[in-house]
Amino acid sequence: MVLPLFKLGTLALRTLSKPIANRLKKQAGFHPKFRGFIISIAQGNHRFTTTLQRRIYNRAENVEIRPLNEEKAVQVASDLIGEMFIFLVAGALVIFEVQRNAKSEAKKEEKRKQELESLKQRDEALSKEVEELKLKIIELDKLAKGRGITGLFNFGFQQGTEKSANAA
């Protein structure tokens, strides 16, 4: 019961993270200091991806890379922020799920260890009981050999008469 509700909760959180990411995208360009910061991030990302693409496709690498205009940079950076937010939420959910599964497995392993220990203790107790029974059988065998075959069949009767003779 808990597992389906948990899965439903993670799905809802992922679904809710998308509108939050969109809101972050919209709000990203309004604050002047933050706007300058995200523009510099967008320009750096633009230079990195353009240089990487030029190297992959063997194009001229020493040509100057034109910077993005301010609005395009804000749009690219806000998209990047939104995607990073969604990725971080999904990553956090995956990490949480892995930790939850690890705890569950640890509990199962502890239960298995306890069961194994219980079985070992039971095995030791049964082994001890078997040894005691073997000793009793040896004693009975000695008594039977000492009295002969008839002593074995009259064992209970003779023991009862010995007790009554000792009492008198």
Side-chain angles (χ1 to χ4, degrees):
M1 181 69 182
V2 174
L3 188 63
L5 291 176
F6 178 75
K7 295 288 184 182
L8 188 61
T10 58
L11 181 62
L13 188 59
R14 285 184 189 174
T15 304
L16 291 174
S17 69
K18 290 178 183 177
I20 294 171
N22 288 334
R23 178 139 178 120
L24 278 173
K25 286 181 192 180
K26 289 178 185 175
Q27 296 294 322
F30 292 137
H31 193 273
K33 287 184 182 180
F34 190 64
R35 183 179 175 94
F37 175 70
I38 64 170
I39 288 174
S40 65
I41 289 176
Q43 295 295 356
N45 184 36
H46 173 66
R47 283 190 299 276
F48 174 73
T49 55
T50 304
T51 305
L52 191 62
Q53 285 175 352
R54 286 181 180 177
R55 285 184 184 171
I56 290 172
Y57 298 120
N58 292 324
R59 294 194 179 147
E61 294 179 25
N62 56 357
V63 178
E64 184 179 347
I65 299 171
R66 289 182 289 142
L68 296 171
N69 67 24
E70 194 172 308
E71 290 305 314
K72 181 73 173 170
V74 169
Q75 179 63 37
V76 168
S78 62
D79 288 343
L80 183 64
I81 288 171
E83 292 301 319
M84 282 177 37
F85 179 77
I86 291 172
F87 180 74
L88 288 174
V89 168
L93 289 174
V94 167
I95 290 170
F96 181 74
E97 181 72 21
V98 167
Q99 287 179 341
R100 192 181 65 80
N101 285 339
K103 286 179 184 178
S104 174
E105 286 298 319
K107 286 179 183 178
K108 287 179 185 178
E109 185 65 27
E110 184 62 32
K111 186 177 178 183
R112 279 186 233 131
K113 284 181 181 179
Q114 288 175 352
E115 288 175 357
L116 184 61
E117 186 62 32
S118 172
L119 288 174
K120 283 181 182 179
Q121 289 175 354
R122 184 173 177 240
D123 184 44
E124 289 173 3
L126 289 174
S127 295
K128 187 177 178 181
E129 188 176 340
V130 165
E131 287 299 319
E132 290 173 359
L133 289 173
K134 282 181 182 179
L135 291 173
K136 287 181 181 180
I137 288 174
I138 291 171
E139 280 182 42
L140 285 174
D141 194 33
K142 286 179 184 177
L143 285 173
K145 284 182 183 177
R147 294 184 181 171
I149 291 186
T150 58
L152 182 64
F153 294 119
N154 296 326
F155 180 73
F157 176 72
Q158 289 177 354
Q159 204 174 29
T161 56
E162 287 176 13
K163 286 182 184 175
S164 61
N166 287 337

